[in-house]
Amino acid sequence: VNAEAVNAHGDQHDSSLPLPLPLPLAQPLPQPRPAVGPGQPDDRLERFLDLSVALTGFERFSLLGTGLSASYLHELEAIVPAGVVDDLLRATTQQPEGRDLETQLEEVIFADPRLGPVARNLIIMWYCGGWTPMPDDWRAVYGASPLDTRHMVSADAYRAGLQWVAAGAHAAGANQQGYGAWALPPDDVTSGTLASLLAPSMESSPA
Amino acid sequence: MSESPEADVVIVGAGVNGALIAKQLTSAGLRVLLLEAGPDTAYAYDGYSEHLDRFWRAASKSVESPWPAAVGAPQPDTADVRNGDGYFVQNGPDRYGSSYSRTLGGSTLHWLGVCLRMLPEDFELRSRYGVGRDWPLGYAELEPFYRQAEREIGVSADVVDQAHLGIEFAAGYDYPMRALPPSYSDQMLAAAVDGMPVSLGSQQFALKVRSYPAGRNSIPRPGYRPVGAVDERGEGMTLDRGLGQRCEGNTSCTPICPVQAKYNAQKSLAQADSTRLRVVAQAVASKVLIDPVNGAVSGVEYQRYSDPNSARHTVHTATARYYVLAAHAVENAKLLLASGLGGGSSLIGKGLMDHPALYAWGLAAKPIGAFRGPLSTAGIDDLRGGTFRSQHAAFRFDIGNDGWRAPTGAPDSSVAAAVNGNSQNRQNGQGLYGSRLRAHLQHTLPRQLRFSIAVEQLPDAGNAVSIDPRHLDPLGNPRPVISYRIDDYTMAGMAAATGVYRQMFARAGIEDHTHDGDETWFPSVNHGDQVFHYHGMGHFAGTHVMGERPENSVVDRDQRCWEHPNLYVVGSGSFPTMGTSNPTLTMAALALRTANQLIHELAADRRPLTAR
């Protein structure tokens, strides 16, 4: 059957849908960031990783393992106004004394009509490897970039989507698990790969 | 007919039918010219890899995402079905929900690979149940060709699983390769529903999860060597490094198998005798030419384009002793109509069928390992046959291994729903993020289960492909105009199928989420107070029906056109009815039977070609 997956996701099929132009161009084309000197940590990328850990629930190790941190930061900077990215990155680093991270994220990011939708898009980018257009009302207020279209960041990004890890699976059409692997009980994704290797959980055994 | 035809046989279309016939004819020493409307960019492995990359990069992973259409050979697209525009001109009242691809290898490049034989009773619907029509040949006659087709395609299955519903196999026969292991999800479902009683009409059934025969490489039985990835290029270079000789669990049969462990028609083409085969890609057959004196075909006019992005083309004529149209149920009908042929019975294009299909999806109580393995490794097909067929359509359930991907676009849509606060789980009234998001997805994605329910559709002369000079493609060829209606017989089958899936979900502890989200893009039909959202399965059939007499059919039992003795029109368009099996295996069996016929005829019969 071929059209068993006459799938057609419930969303836009075409990434080249007309944009609601004319709208102010949010920013000039992205400037290349100055190279980081030897031995100097790229502070901005570090702060982006801190933010991403808080937003995705994945450890730094997993995020770095995708090889896509810099691409995602670049993507974000190319699409949304620079000030927005700066303020997002500030949220996790300029945390007031005594306030927990969750409260900080809720109040500074998710309760903010300017930052909240961008953070949600960033989460989706990490999980799915692609960009989703900003909501129309956000674009109307904060500007629309011509790059704000539905698109995958890259083939690598598709394959490295965190959603596949969360599912205990692999990207469809890549990173195959081998003949017959599908017949085995799924990994217990709630306990982490290493833990399940060391002590196979009974959670996922047949009822 | 030309004095010196350039080939013994011209074949139009390099899909599964054209490729199988080309392989058989060339192996028998005949010269074949094969015209393919679309490009041949996937024939060399490097090109195939580019199609794979295109799929990875596509924002929408639709069936067509790896396989773009050429300007000169447009094709229907899932998005068109959704939007009601595109290549097809849809006249309604219902929307025809399927698509196909025009490229070397055809739609087998993105088929699922399920290879169920038709049931013996499927060939005798009229005699047995008073509905539809009978085929001019029966299961027993086709059985040897089913075996041959299973070998050509490379089908993995065990006879012990498949010998039911009256299906019999030749003594000692088994499939070329062992059945693929059932997915963990299949095993879980079987543990819950095997033996479940169902009543339809006056009959009782006991359901059973069965492994699906698949055109997908598994462990071979003695004497069979699996055929892996194709790498055909000029200079006779071929690839043989074992790639694709076993399914690797890419969970992407549709729209593209990365390693070509799943059969595609390019494999058959690559096995043809290349010294006798000439393949011309980007050659769109535009007219079948007829000798007005004897009614025989004298040539096929075709348009060649060198740039797939342009409508610029040159016009040529291909000549041969015999002609085979293997262009697809819709394209065959379109070409016959555009050539003004087959007017006698006025049946060309009429009787268009599909398997209008329903999705059902839910959350299992425990992880079932969704998103792993071939998209479907098993199904429940006990309700494909029975006396209830005098009242309503038969149906079967495919068990998906890819979560809710097909109906909802999961896992992406599941992520978006959770992040944007559209799912039931919310953080402070908003969407989820951080460790709660991750935990929510880990908790739900591995439990996603999906059925595709393929429902039978009977031939109806009102369901038709026609042409209209007002609707032309960029090369000036007619676009298919489609009239389509889903009747009560099929909708009553949908109603029965809905009852059965709900019974299964309840018994297996699966929480039903079917169509519980936002509005769906799927077309709908109303049956009493029930609404069914359906989609096509890509199972086009019935547009040049075969039969016993010229008055009630377009082709005879050998798929020879009644009115034109040197013209064969092959494929699922010849099916008088289609039961509930995926059509590819049956059309492959018919194509192999036709190839036999052609070989005998070309070798022995030099009589002048006159209409019968």
Side-chain angles (χ1 to χ4, degrees), chain A residues 1-5 8 13 54-55 57 59 102 106 120 150 159 163 170 173 176 178-179 182-184 204 206, chain B residues 56 59 62-63 78 111-112 181 184 187 218 248-251 359 372 398 412 428 430 433-434 436 438 521 537 582:
Chain A
V1 168
N2 67 60
E4 219 105 292
H13 180 80
L55 292 180
E59 311 76 11
E102 185 167 336
E106 292 286 347
R120 291 193 187 94
R150 183 163 181 259
R159 292 185 299 243
Q163 59 183 344
H170 67 100
Q176 69 274 17
Y179 178 81
W182 55 85
L184 302 172
S204 56
Chain B
W56 286 333
S62 68
V63 177
T78 310
W111 71 317
L112 177 57
Y184 184 74
Q187 300 167 46
S218 168
E248 299 177 9
N250 265 291
T251 323
Y359 284 128
R372 301 183 309 152
D398 287 355
D412 303 62
N428 302 334
Q430 298 287 318
Y433 65 88
R436 281 190 219 173
R438 182 178 178 181
W521 69 271
M537 280 201 134
N582 318 54

Side-chain angles (χ1 to χ4, degrees), chain B residues 363-436:
Chain B
L363 275 184
K366 296 197 167 201
I368 52 168
F371 302 101
R372 301 183 309 152
L375 297 190
S376 181
T377 37
I380 297 156
D381 73 341
D382 303 288
L383 307 176
R384 293 176 61 204
T387 53
F388 64 85
R389 297 177 82 180
S390 62
Q391 304 301 316
H392 66 71
F395 48 89
R396 67 182 163 85
F397 303 87
D398 287 355
I399 305 164
N401 290 329
D402 56 345
W404 300 349
R405 181 171 86 149
T408 73
D412 303 62
S413 61
S414 307
V415 171
V419 171
N420 291 320
N422 303 329
S423 68
Q424 289 150 356
N425 251 338
R426 293 187 182 202
Q427 224 159 345
N428 302 334
Q430 298 287 318
L432 301 179
Y433 65 88
S435 49
R436 281 190 219 173

Side-chain angles (χ1 to χ4, degrees), chain B residues 35-100:
Chain B
L35 304 175
E36 167 52 49
D40 60 358
T41 45
Y43 208 27
Y45 187 74
D46 291 349
Y48 191 90
S49 301
E50 284 173 26
H51 286 279
L52 178 60
D53 190 61
R54 187 182 175 91
F55 164 70
W56 286 333
R57 287 185 288 104
S60 166
K61 309 284 190 220
S62 68
V63 177
E64 299 81 10
S65 56
W67 313 109
V71 167
Q75 62 196 18
D77 185 289
T78 310
D80 301 340
V81 172
R82 180 176 175 228
N83 302 330
D85 57 12
Y87 179 51
F88 286 165
V89 180
Q90 297 242 15
N91 270 353
D94 297 324
R95 205 165 276 179
Y96 193 88
S98 285
S99 63
Y100 55 91

Side-chain angles (χ1 to χ4, degrees), chain A residues 84-105:
Chain A
V84 172
V85 181
D86 292 341
D87 290 348
L88 267 179
L89 296 182
R90 214 167 279 133
T92 41
T93 48
Q94 297 185 357
Q95 195 173 328
E97 286 281 324
R99 185 194 260 183
D100 64 30
L101 181 62
E102 185 167 336
T103 310
Q104 171 77 357
L105 293 174

Side-chain angles (χ1 to χ4, degrees), chain A residues 37-188:
Chain A
Q40 295 289 314
D42 182 341
D43 180 55
R44 197 170 168 85
L45 186 57
E46 288 301 311
R47 286 185 289 136
F48 178 69
L49 277 165
D50 287 340
L51 173 70
S52 296
V53 167
L55 292 180
T56 62
F58 276 82
E59 311 76 11
R60 204 177 184 80
F61 179 82
S62 303
L63 299 187
L64 283 168
T66 64
L68 288 156
S69 325
S71 297
Y72 288 160
L73 175 57
H74 179 80
E75 192 77 16
L76 197 62
E77 289 174 328
I79 297 172
V80 303
V84 172
V85 181
D86 292 341
D87 290 348
L88 267 179
L89 296 182
R90 214 167 279 133
T92 41
T93 48
Q94 297 185 357
Q95 195 173 328
E97 286 281 324
R99 185 194 260 183
D100 64 30
L101 181 62
E102 185 167 336
T103 310
Q104 171 77 357
L105 293 174
E106 292 286 347
E107 292 189 1
V108 177
I109 295 180
F110 290 106
D112 184 313
R114 176 164 156 269
L115 298 184
V118 179
R120 291 193 187 94
N121 263 12
L122 175 57
I123 297 173
I124 291 172
M125 187 154 64
W126 273 110
Y127 272 88
C128 306
W131 183 258
T132 312
M134 297 301 295
D136 285 344
D137 53 357
W138 191 96
R139 291 158 59 94
V141 177
Y142 303 108
S145 159
L147 301 175
D148 183 24
T149 59
R150 183 163 181 259
H151 63 272
M152 298 305 294
V153 171
S154 62
D156 286 342
Y158 164 70
R159 292 185 299 243
L162 299 176
Q163 59 183 344
W164 308 110
V165 182
H170 67 100
N175 312 335
Q176 69 274 17
Q177 299 183 319
Y179 178 81
W182 55 85
L184 302 172
D187 281 350
D188 182 356

Side-chain angles (χ1 to χ4, degrees), chain B residues 100 104 112 262 277 326 416 447 538 596 598:
Chain B
Y100 55 91
L104 194 89
L112 177 57
K262 185 194 64 180
L277 175 65
R447 295 191 288 131
N596 260 17
L598 265 167

